[in-house]
Amino acid sequence: QLQAFGGGLVQAGGSLRLSCAASGLTFSRYAMGWFRQAPGKEREIVAAVSGRGGSTYYADSVKGRFTISRDNAKNTANLQMNSLKPEDTAVYYCAATFSLGIVVRTTIQDYTFWGQGTQVTVSS
């Protein structure tokens, strides 16, 4: 089970930190991803991290602004979002998939477990 939280309303240029709490998983054996879905658009990958955190992936649109991390001791994955833009407005979802080693997963179809989503709204 995954639970995402930390969304909210922020002005452009501001920051938010999303967290995803996992339960019922051997967390370090699961690659984690953050996705987002804006109104009228398809869900898209934002960032992903391998099971032990050694590999990461970022969508071009968030490179240099967002940082994904994980704390396997606390069974949490985080997404630090800085320099937020209005186009970052979306519902953000965390997801998990069983994946050993350093592989990151970047497509929706790769992921087995999904959190409920948390709304991020960036005002201009």
Side-chain angles (χ1 to χ4, degrees), residues 55-117:
S55 300
T56 57
Y57 167 88
Y58 295 94
D60 287 344
S61 59
V62 306
K63 280 181 181 176
R65 300 188 297 123
F66 291 12
T67 302
I68 190 170
S69 63
R70 63 188 297 154
D71 185 338
N72 286 348
K74 296 182 179 179
N75 286 7
T76 59
N78 306 299
L79 185 68
Q80 178 66 42
M81 306 185 294
N82 299 328
S83 302
L84 283 161
K85 305 175 181 180
E87 51 263 43
D88 294 319
T89 295
V91 177
Y92 283 70
Y93 299 89
C94 61
T97 186
F98 183 79
S99 181
L100 301 178
I102 63 171
V103 177
V104 291
R105 305 292 183 179
T106 61
T107 68
I108 293 172
Q109 293 80 6
D110 286 332
Y111 285 86
T112 307
F113 302 104
W114 291 82
Q116 82 285 8

Side-chain angles (χ1 to χ4, degrees), residues 23-30 70 75 98:
S23 60
L25 306 174
T26 303
F27 191 62
S28 63
R29 297 183 178 182
Y30 285 77
R70 63 188 297 154
N75 286 7
F98 183 79

